[in-house]
C-alpha cells in the first residue's frame, strides 16, 4: 500500500551489502532470491477492484534501486514463473505457496545463475521437467483454507509431486541435536559429487518445496 521511502531503500541496500561483504571476505558468494507471492503471478484471479491497484510494487522499487545503486546479485524469478504458468499449474490453489512444478522453475533459474557465477557450467547438468514423473495426490488443508477457517468443508485440490527418474545426488546428512522448535530445525544434505561448492540456504516457507 505504501511505497518504500528513499531512506528505507538505502537501508535495504546497506544491509544487503554488509552481508555480501562479510561473506565475500570469507570466500562465500551471496545471492538474494525473491520468491514472488501468488497474487503477482496469478493477478487474473484477484477481485476486479484490486487488479489495477498495483502500479509499482515494493519489489519493483527495490530491484530498480539496487540495479542503479548496488552490485548485490538479486535473482528475480517472476518472468520465469509468469512464462511457466501457461504450461502447468505452479502455485497451489488452496495455499499461498508455489507447488513442486513452481519450485522446479525456481530451481532452474537458481542453479543456472550459481553455475555461471561460480564457473561450474560444465559440471552442472540442470534437470528438465521430463526428468521427473508427475504424480497427483490429494491435498487438504492448505494455509489459505486454514486462514479462512474452512479446512473441514471440502476445500481440497490435487497436489502435483515430482518423482525423479534419475538417481538423486543428494543424501540426508546427520546433524547434532538442537533444542529449537521443530519448524526451525535445519536440514543438511551431502552430495555424491563432492567437487562442487557447498551451499547454505536461509529461507522462509517457500524453501520447503525448493529443497
Amino acid at each position: 500500500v505504501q511505497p518504500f521511502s528513499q531512506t528505507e531503500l538505502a537501508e535495504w541496500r546497506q544491509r544487503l551489502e554488509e552481508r555480501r561483504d562479510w561473506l565475500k571476505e570469507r570466500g562465500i558468494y551471496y545471492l538474494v532470491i525473491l520468491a514472488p507471492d501468488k497474487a503477482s503471478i496469478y493477478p487474473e484471479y484477484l477481485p476486479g477492484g484490486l487488479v489495477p491497484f498495483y502500479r509499482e510494487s515494493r519489489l519493483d522499487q527495490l530491484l530498480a534501486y539496487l540495479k542503479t545503486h548496488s552490485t548485490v546479485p538479486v535473482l528475480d524469478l517472476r518472468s520465469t514463473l509468469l512464462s511457466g504458468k501457461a504450461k502447468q499449474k505452479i502455485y497451489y490453489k488452496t495455499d499461498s505457496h508455489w507447488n513442486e512444478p513452481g519450485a522446479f522453475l525456481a530451481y532452474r533459474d537458481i542453479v543456472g545463475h550459481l553455475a555461471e557465477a561460480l564457473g561450474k557450467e560444465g559440471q552442472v547438468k540442470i534437470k528438465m521437467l521430463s526428468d521427473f514423473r508427475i504424480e497427483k495426490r490429494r491435498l487438504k488443508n492448505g494455509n489459505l483454507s486454514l486462514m479462512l477457517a474452512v479446512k473441514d468443508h471440502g476445500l481440497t485440490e490435487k497436489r502435483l509431486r515430482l518423482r525423479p527418474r534419475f538417481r538423486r545426488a543428494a543424501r540426508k546428512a546427520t546433524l547434532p541435536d538442537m533444542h529449537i522448535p521443530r519448524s526451525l530445525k535445519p536440514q543438511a544434505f551431502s552430495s555424491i559429487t563432492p567437487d562442487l561448492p557447498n551451499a547454505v540456504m536461509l529461507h522462509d516457507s517457500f524453501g520447503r518445496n525448493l529443497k
Side-chain angles (χ1 to χ4, degrees):
V1 176
Q2 293 180 332
F4 280 130
S5 66
Q6 288 301 305
T7 300
E8 289 171 324
L9 289 169
E11 289 174 348
W12 268 90
R13 177 186 61 79
Q14 179 182 357
R15 184 63 61 84
L16 293 176
E17 288 182 349
E18 285 174 352
R19 294 176 180 175
R20 179 207 51 196
D21 294 344
W22 187 91
L23 292 164
K24 187 176 181 179
E25 290 175 359
R26 291 154 177 82
I28 301 170
Y29 179 78
Y30 180 49
L31 176 63
V32 179
I33 303 162
L34 301 163
D37 61 36
K38 187 164 68 171
S40 64
I41 303 302
Y42 288 100
E44 62 270 28
Y45 293 111
L46 289 170
L50 292 181
V51 173
F53 176 82
Y54 297 97
R55 295 176 293 276
E56 183 185 51
S57 69
R58 281 186 163 193
L59 177 54
D60 293 323
Q61 269 190 292
L62 180 61
L63 291 174
Y65 182 86
L66 292 174
K67 185 176 181 179
T68 304
H69 296 88
S70 182
T71 57
V72 173
V74 182
L75 190 58
D76 183 6
L77 300 171
R78 289 177 297 178
S79 61
T80 293
L81 293 169
L82 286 167
S83 299
K85 75 175 188 178
K87 302 174 184 177
Q88 183 71 265
K89 184 171 71 171
I90 58 173
Y91 277 65
Y92 294 111
K93 184 177 181 179
T94 61
D95 196 276
S96 60
H97 298 88
W98 54 32
N99 58 13
E100 290 190 23
F104 172 78
L105 295 176
Y107 141 80
R108 286 182 54 84
D109 272 14
I110 294 167
V111 174
H113 177 99
L114 291 175
E116 181 179 356
L118 301 176
K120 299 293 183 179
E121 298 100 321
Q123 295 175 256
V124 176
K125 181 184 177 182
I126 302 176
K127 300 299 182 185
M128 304 291 291
L129 193 58
S130 58
D131 292 318
F132 297 84
R133 183 178 74 257
I134 299 179
E135 294 181 354
K136 292 183 178 181
R137 299 287 182 88
R138 185 170 177 265
L139 173 71
K140 56 184 292 187
N141 299 346
N143 68 350
L144 293 178
S145 64
L146 295 173
M147 293 176 195
L148 293 168
V150 292
K151 69 182 183 70
D152 298 320
H153 296 275
L155 192 61
T156 63
E157 64 176 306
K158 294 293 184 181
R159 180 180 184 182
L160 303 179
R161 300 296 304 271
L162 299 188
R163 300 300 190 188
R165 301 179 187 272
F166 52 88
R167 181 188 176 198
R168 289 186 183 273
R171 300 286 184 270
K172 281 193 175 182
T174 302
L175 288 172
D177 290 333
M178 302 179 189
H179 298 289
I180 58 176
R182 182 179 178 183
S183 61
L184 299 178
K185 284 189 176 182
Q187 287 183 302
F189 300 87
S190 60
S191 175
I192 61 175
T193 52
D195 54 326
L196 291 175
N198 295 322
V200 176
M201 181 170 68
L202 306 178
H203 63 87
D204 63 8
S205 50
F206 276 82
R208 294 170 188 162
N209 277 337
L210 190 56
K211 286 188 291 187

